[in-house]
Amino acid sequence: MFKNIEKIRQLLSQNYPKVNVELVERAYNFAEMAHQDNKRFSGEPQINHSVNTALHLAEWKLPINFVVAGLLHDVPEYTKYTIADIETNFSRDVAKMVEGEMKLDSLRYRGEKKYAENLRQMFISVADDVRIIFIKFADRIDNLKSLSFLPENKQKRLAIESLEIYAPIANRLGMDVIRQQLEDLSFKYVYPEDYEKTLNLVKNVYATKEGYLEKIRKIVSKDLVKGGIRVAEIHSRKKGLYGVYKKLAARNWNPNNIYDIFASRIIVESESDCYSALGILHHRWKPVKGRIKDYISQPKPNGYQSLHTTVFCEDGKTVEFQIRTKTMHEEDEYGLASHWFYREQGEGQENKKKHIAWLREFSKIQKEIKEKTKFFENIDSLKTDIFQKRIFVFTPKGDIINLPENATPVDFAYAIHTELGHKYARAKVNDELVSDDYKLLSGDKVEIIIERSRKKPDPAWLKSIKTRKARMMIKEKI
Ligand code: MN
């Protein structure tokens, strides 16, 4: 087995040929000294977790300071050394990242009621310095890998949070590799039965398709070379189990209705090679109608670019092909992270252009994250059992109130304050007057108009309210 430091050295020499490893080794030694005999839940030394976190950051080819921060990320929380010690021994920049990660880490789950608030705070922290989300992703992926050692309630919380919050953010930032790892590691803890069901259904597909695609790869490779395409690589990619599950659930649980459980990926040198390769494929095999997608001229909202086509391949089986350039491929796998990498790789004209484009995209994402803190549109994607029957609405000041589904403005008033309920006269939802039995929806902004002279609540409210609190208070008063 490799020693920790050997693993780090090896990955650095592979992914960071120009970087001086001395800084990273110093960080490793500091972390090891600081954590001493600290152990994880699994009984493993704590330092292994720091190393795994740093290794993920290095796999994603982020700037070297991320790797350093990854090694040190748990030092202030679990040892006697502080953020200030890290600043003195390393740099302000590294200390800032560690501090941001620690703050994010302290947003512990405080029960369902505080959930939305946590989420909001998280968006704010990330908007403040988007870099910490990468450290958090790396940290979380390693924690998910040792989830089986945690108590059951903790398992479920971490898994839900990873699946419902972290993975969608990774998706939004266009980091496919990270999204898929977060999803697949949490899936079995969040939906154990669906996980088993999905696994059983696709087992056969996995077993048969891999060999078949190898056969196809050889044919394609020959055709492309003959056609003068500069091919960098052809490989098959397996769709993540959670991604398969979502499609299965939407398509009668029939794996034959899903074309991309496996896809064949063709990576070429230039954009025009992409289109030529598509032509060559269609010349040999007939495309399936409606399955040709040009995400190169029309990228997905998260920036994803590729040509997709599904063809009736050898033996009449369907195969999805994804054709892209090397750059598109890197960006698909690592999204924003890949841009950071280019930025460190030198100052060529091409890199400069990319960096500017990236800065623009980055500020757009920041703005969107900030907007989410206000409107919380994302909340609709919270489809897990625990949250399914809850809605999140806003006070005029932007505070979030968590209510059961179909709750009314009266429930809202009582949730804020008993007196506000008792004096309730009317309500405005999104600035428009609504009836007392109006069913609130997630994201609604609710304003209560009171009647100071009101002595008693209206018994009619009892017919439509949903919360126990409002019911108790009204009954007590009438
Ligand atoms: Mn950690």
Side-chain angles (χ1 to χ4, degrees):
M1 201 189 87
F2 270 139
K3 277 198 178 127
N4 278 327
I5 189 68
E6 286 307 322
K7 282 191 215 161
I8 298 171
R9 277 193 198 125
Q10 203 203 10
L11 190 56
L12 288 184
S13 70
Q14 202 180 306
N15 283 359
Y16 299 78
K18 291 184 209 144
V19 167
N20 180 0
V21 295
E22 189 271 338
L23 173 69
V24 180
E25 299 204 354
R26 205 151 52 78
Y28 171 77
N29 291 332
F30 187 88
E32 192 180 41
M33 178 271 299
H35 284 297
Q36 289 181 4
D37 301 326
N38 287 350
K39 293 267 192 299
R40 311 178 71 184
F41 257 103
S42 61
E44 256 187 295
Q46 177 77 29
I47 184 73
N48 289 5
H49 166 66
S50 311
V51 169
N52 293 340
T53 303
L55 287 173
H56 280 305
L57 293 160
E59 271 163 32
W60 305 336
K61 297 179 180 177
L62 285 159
I64 205 71
N65 267 2
F66 282 77
V67 181
V68 174
L71 282 166
L72 300 170
H73 82 276
D74 272 339
V75 165
E77 200 176 340
Y78 294 102
T79 78
K80 64 179 179 189
Y81 297 93
T82 61
I83 299 280
D85 292 326
I86 290 177
E87 186 170 344
T88 320
N89 284 281
F90 297 91
S91 63
R92 174 76 207 118
D93 191 52
V94 168
K96 202 177 155 241
M97 274 196 259
V98 173
E99 188 177 31
E101 208 282 331
M102 204 173 82
K103 259 197 232 154
L104 199 51
D105 217 30
S106 69
L107 301 176
R108 298 220 186 275
Y109 187 76
R110 285 165 291 172
E112 195 183 335
K113 265 196 185 148
K114 298 283 183 187
Y115 181 80
E117 197 183 305
N118 282 0
L119 201 51
R120 192 171 64 129
Q121 282 185 31
M122 181 159 117
F123 283 129
I124 291 168
S125 317
V126 174
D128 184 43
D129 183 354
V130 84
R131 294 182 307 172
I132 59 173
I133 198 74
F134 291 97
I135 302 175
K136 195 70 221 170
F137 283 149
D139 171 74
R140 179 54 59 91
I141 286 170
D142 189 54
N143 284 333
L144 288 172
K145 284 181 181 165
S146 54
L147 214 53
S148 60
F149 297 100
L150 292 187
E152 210 173 303
N153 62 338
K154 229 179 159 188
Q155 276 178 0
K156 191 116 183 165
R157 167 181 79 80
L158 280 174
I160 288 175
E161 199 177 75
S162 307
L163 196 63
E164 301 292 357
I165 300 169
Y166 286 89
I169 292 178
N171 185 46
R172 181 61 192 88
L173 296 175
M175 297 179 289
D176 203 54
V177 166
I178 299 173
R179 175 190 57 77
Q180 191 172 319
Q181 286 192 55
L182 288 164
E183 285 181 352
D184 288 352
L185 289 166
S186 350
F187 182 21
K188 74 171 166 203
Y189 296 96
V190 182
Y191 306 107
E193 282 156 27
D194 289 338
Y195 174 82
E196 287 300 324
K197 198 171 160 190
T198 305
L199 199 59
N200 283 328
L201 273 172
V202 297
K203 240 190 229 154
N204 280 337
V205 184
Y206 282 171
T208 56
K209 205 108 191 220
E210 230 153 16
Y212 174 76
L213 281 178
E214 181 50 28
K215 205 171 91 186
I216 300 303
R217 191 185 65 81
K218 285 183 185 145
I219 299 174
V220 172
S221 177
K222 260 192 209 148
D223 275 7
L224 293 180
V225 171
K226 233 199 284 171
I229 311 290
R230 291 162 297 165
V231 182
E233 197 188 324
I234 303 175
H235 66 253
S236 65
R237 85 96 182 84
K238 201 155 89 176
K239 195 178 186 66
L241 207 57
Y242 183 67
V244 174
Y245 156 66
K246 278 197 297 191
K247 283 206 170 170
L248 276 175
R251 289 171 201 182
N252 301 322
W253 287 89
N254 183 352
N256 296 329
N257 293 341
I258 305 173
Y259 290 111
D260 66 343
I261 292 183
F262 271 99
S264 182
R265 239 177 218 163
I266 302 172
I267 299 164
V268 296
E269 293 292 334
S270 74
E271 209 174 291
S272 68
D273 283 332
C274 293
Y275 290 100
S276 309
L278 184 74
I280 288 171
L281 288 178
H282 286 174
H283 183 66
R284 179 178 281 276
W285 295 300
K286 215 176 151 79
V288 178
K289 261 208 183 123
R291 298 280 312 168
I292 307 168
K293 286 167 200 158
D294 182 353
Y295 296 120
I296 291 181
S297 65
Q298 282 168 320
K300 286 190 185 177
N302 67 4
Y304 176 84
Q305 286 191 298
S306 279
L307 299 176
H308 288 193
T309 184
T310 305
V311 300
F312 295 106
C313 214
E314 299 300 293
D315 313 323
K317 287 182 185 145
T318 54
V319 173
E320 177 173 307
F321 286 93
Q322 301 175 348
I323 311 165
R324 49 178 71 176
T325 65
K326 277 188 212 162
T327 312
M328 291 171 195
H329 182 57
E330 286 258 306
E331 287 180 354
D332 174 36
E333 298 213 292
Y334 299 111
L336 279 182
S338 75
H339 291 280
W340 254 304
F341 184 61
Y342 294 133
R343 191 174 145 201
E344 275 215 336
Q345 283 300 293
E347 293 300 318
Q349 212 38 42
E350 194 49 29
N351 283 329
K352 256 187 207 147
K353 249 198 285 173
K354 278 215 177 83
H355 182 49
I356 292 167
W358 171 76
L359 278 179
R360 220 175 279 139
E361 179 62 19
F362 174 66
S363 66
K364 226 165 68 192
I365 287 174
Q366 270 193 323
K367 217 197 274 160
E368 280 170 30
I369 289 172
K370 269 184 196 147
E371 266 159 26
K372 271 188 191 138
T373 70
K374 288 187 223 138
F375 299 109
F376 240 68
E377 57 208 358
N378 240 22
I379 217 71
D380 278 341
S381 65
L382 296 177
K383 292 270 157 60
T384 61
D385 292 340
I386 298 180
F387 304 108
Q388 190 166 58
K389 305 234 153 64
R390 309 292 297 184
I391 57 166
F392 298 87
V393 295
F394 294 93
T395 69
K397 279 185 189 160
D399 290 331
I400 297 160
I401 306 295
N402 176 340
L403 293 167
E405 209 174 37
N406 297 327
T408 68
V410 177
D411 286 307
F412 174 89
Y414 279 102
I416 291 181
H417 198 279
T418 307
E419 275 312 301
L420 191 66
H422 288 338
K423 301 262 183 253
Y424 174 97
R426 271 188 304 264
K428 278 184 176 177
V429 171
N430 305 326
D431 299 320
E432 285 190 31
L433 283 171
V434 296
S435 60
D436 299 344
D437 61 356
Y438 177 87
K439 289 180 171 60
L440 295 170
L441 296 171
S442 274
D444 279 346
K445 186 183 82 176
V446 189
E447 187 185 340
I448 303 299
I449 300 158
I450 57 167
E451 192 185 320
R452 285 191 193 285
S453 56
R454 185 189 272 283
K455 295 278 182 312
K456 274 184 190 172
D458 183 345
W461 296 342
L462 288 169
K463 275 186 249 156
S464 53
I465 55 167
K466 286 284 171 286
T467 55
R468 224 163 61 95
K469 182 179 174 186
R471 192 167 302 278
M472 264 165 43
M473 295 304 166
I474 294 169
K475 282 190 173 157
E476 206 168 84
K477 193 83 176 177
I478 54 178

